[in-house]
Amino acid sequence: MRKLFILAALLLSGAAHALSLDQLTNKDAAGGLKEALTQGAGKAVDLLGKENGFLGNPKVKIPLPGKLEKAADTLRSFGMGKQVDELETTMNRAAEAAVPEAKKLLVESIKKMSVEDAKGILTGGDNSATEYFRKNTSAQLGEKFRPIVQKAMAKVKLADKYDQFAGKAAKFGLVKEEDSHMDNYVTEKALDGLYLMIADEEKAIRANPVGAVGSLAKKVFGSLGQ
């Protein structure tokens, strides 16, 4: 197990040139990479899939779409602040409820990762692992997220009014057509937020593999310096 963490950290670190890509054919090396990615993806899901995971994080908080976000201030000035806040809160709570469903699919995509996939991640950009996840999980995650979002949004009658209003607004270019239905909009924003947080975790692992991978790796690397 220690070997897995050592290899994962070294492989993801841009400064680790001592290991060649050919070594990824080694089962332990590929396993170490998968171990690091599993931890990073899991952490992203855990950060978002809790109360205020979206609502309390400005980086991923879901606003009203398009120009309706700017119109929210006007609505508040007309005494509709409570309704606007209720809608925004429900949108973000729906995303928080849906995200935990991602962990299983993300882990499955890592297990299916080939040696060539792993090499592509290592030779790619800082978000190459994130793009791997997006390519292999976004469609399935969208299918899993949508019914959870629909259930959460159904509790707020304002969501139906939004669909009616946004449908008209889309005709005038105030809202994108694909965003004119609340369920679709929240589902897409939940996916965007998830991949954004995964990208942050990937950058953290690449920048500081010892600290990002886990406490066991810290102990291992500490012993290597002795």
Side-chain angles (χ1 to χ4, degrees):
M1 180 63 71
R2 287 188 175 186
K3 188 176 180 181
L4 289 177
F5 280 105
I6 294 173
L7 289 167
L10 288 175
L11 288 169
L12 283 173
S13 172
H17 298 299
L19 290 177
S20 69
L21 290 181
D22 290 339
Q23 288 179 277
L24 274 177
T25 55
N26 179 279
K27 183 178 180 180
D28 287 341
L33 176 62
K34 292 180 180 182
E35 194 76 29
L37 294 181
T38 298
Q39 286 200 13
K43 185 176 180 181
V45 171
D46 291 341
L47 287 171
L48 294 176
K50 62 182 181 180
E51 185 174 356
N52 293 326
F54 275 85
L55 190 63
N57 186 343
K59 292 182 67 174
V60 295
K61 181 180 178 181
I62 303 174
L64 291 174
K67 296 180 181 180
L68 292 183
E69 181 183 4
K70 296 179 180 179
D73 291 335
T74 302
L75 292 173
R76 288 189 172 92
S77 69
F78 283 99
M80 296 183 65
K82 181 179 179 180
Q83 291 92 329
V84 172
D85 291 341
E86 181 182 16
L87 179 55
E88 288 186 338
T89 297
T90 304
M91 288 162 52
N92 284 276
R93 292 285 184 253
E96 291 162 7
V99 161
E101 293 293 315
K103 185 172 289 188
K104 182 178 180 181
L105 276 175
L106 291 172
V107 170
E108 287 178 354
S109 73
I110 293 170
K111 290 180 178 178
K112 295 177 181 178
M113 183 183 294
S114 67
V115 171
E116 290 305 313
D117 289 330
K119 288 182 178 180
I121 289 172
L122 295 176
T123 58
D126 289 342
N127 65 339
S128 53
T130 304
E131 290 305 309
Y132 170 84
F133 285 132
R134 186 185 292 275
K135 177 182 177 181
N136 289 279
T137 64
S138 61
Q140 291 173 291
L141 286 179
E143 293 177 1
K144 281 188 170 292
F145 282 13
R146 192 164 286 105
I148 298 173
V149 169
Q150 289 174 338
K151 183 177 180 180
M153 297 307 301
K155 298 178 182 179
V156 181
K157 294 181 180 179
L158 192 60
D160 293 333
K161 295 180 180 179
Y162 165 85
D163 284 347
Q164 296 174 12
F165 175 73
K168 295 178 181 179
K171 296 179 181 179
F172 295 97
L174 296 176
V175 179
K176 294 180 181 179
E177 183 64 35
E178 61 267 26
D179 293 341
S180 63
H181 295 287
M182 178 65 73
D183 299 336
N184 291 339
Y185 174 70
V186 175
T187 296
E188 289 304 315
K189 285 298 182 182
L191 288 171
D192 288 344
L194 173 61
Y195 292 124
L196 177 62
M197 294 305 293
I198 289 176
D200 283 352
E201 292 302 318
E202 181 181 359
K203 290 176 183 177
I205 293 174
R206 290 181 186 275
N208 181 19
V210 179
V213 172
S215 59
L216 177 58
K218 290 181 182 179
K219 294 178 181 179
V220 172
F221 274 81
S223 65
L224 290 177
Q226 297 175 355

